[in-house]
Amino acid sequence: FKKACKSNKASYRHLIYGKRISHIDLLKVKEFPILKRGQIQGGFIAVPSISRVRPFGTLAARTIGDVYKVSQTGKNGLELEYDSLLKGEYGIYVRRKKAGRNTDIIIKEPINGYDIVSTIDIDLQETAERELRYQLERVEAKEGTVVLMEVKTGKVRAISNLIRDKKDGKYYESRNLAINNHIEPGSTFKTLSFLVAMDDGHITDSTKVDTEDGSCVFANSLMKDHNFRGKGGSGGFGVASVATVMHQSSNVGVSKIIDKYYGENPQVFIDGLKRCGITDTFHLEIPGYRIPSIKNTDSKYWSKTSLPWMSIGYEVQIAPIYTLMIYNA
């Protein structure tokens, strides 16, 4: 036996085993002939130590969430969302001295919290995180996120968020980028722009638009396509259909169409975007998600170039998971 107390005074406690053991092992130890008699007769005292166990390491860490060490209440992720269901209810007991010994009398039995079964597929999650980390390290990116959604049901099968630490340069899942990172979606937004124009009856997939030399001026600002080679050059895609404009991801083609039909009244286009449900409040079950931000024409940040640039995914702020929801729908 080894003394637990290192002070000069003698300790009446002696350390049987100096390392932590699991709860399962503790139950076995309590069955030892002498120790099974309890604290009074057997002298056995177990010091509990609560720790968080992550059998799959950091996989989906911010989605699953964490708890505060002291209060053991939900801190983020599913842990926070379902805290009231997960933590259960405390029991109540009173300690009374009977026949020279303390006896605990149970007033109310504790109630275990519920378990949660998420839609995360651990194999897909592991693959998504591994591939995301590889790509981020390859291009030395600041951060990145991957979300895998099942088209038929909308269930999220994997969600990984990695951010590079400024100190050691390694990637950690310190924030849930997929749900709360307000960013400009860029060209992925063009689909929604055309859906609005189609829904309003202005265009079909065969509607034609002149992409010129891959550039167009809106309110003294030059809009360019990815193949623009200078004014009068051989860039652009000529007179192209809406289908070709989408296929080639032509900034000029999309912006010219949206400006043609909504330039006189941009708010109609914005109302069309909202009609698609993009700004609706969805309960995503993970606290901290941010609803897309799409400004109206009465905004102080509205300018003459706002409409054409919004049509190709700029001057709007959307969390990645909302863009995914658009495409899944």
Side-chain angles (χ1 to χ4, degrees), residues 55-129:
F56 299 106
T58 61
L59 292 182
R62 291 294 293 194
T63 301
I64 295 171
D66 207 345
V67 294
Y68 290 103
K69 291 183 178 180
V70 178
S71 64
Q72 290 296 302
T73 55
K75 186 177 182 181
N76 48 49
L78 295 173
E79 283 281 9
L80 175 58
E81 176 71 15
Y82 294 104
D83 181 67
S84 62
L85 298 176
L86 288 168
K87 66 183 180 182
E89 297 181 19
Y90 288 107
I92 301 175
Y93 75 91
V94 294
R95 179 167 293 173
R96 295 176 180 172
K97 181 167 283 189
K98 290 185 178 181
R101 57 177 289 185
N102 289 325
T103 301
D104 294 336
I105 301 175
I106 304 298
I107 303 299
K108 177 186 176 183
E109 292 285 350
I111 301 176
N112 286 330
Y114 289 94
D115 292 331
I116 282 183
V117 179
S118 77
T119 60
I120 298 294
D121 182 303
I122 199 64
D123 293 324
L124 293 176
Q125 178 67 40
E126 193 278 331
T127 300
E129 184 164 320

Side-chain angles (χ1 to χ4, degrees), residues 32 94 190:
F32 287 3
V94 294
K190 294 173 181 175

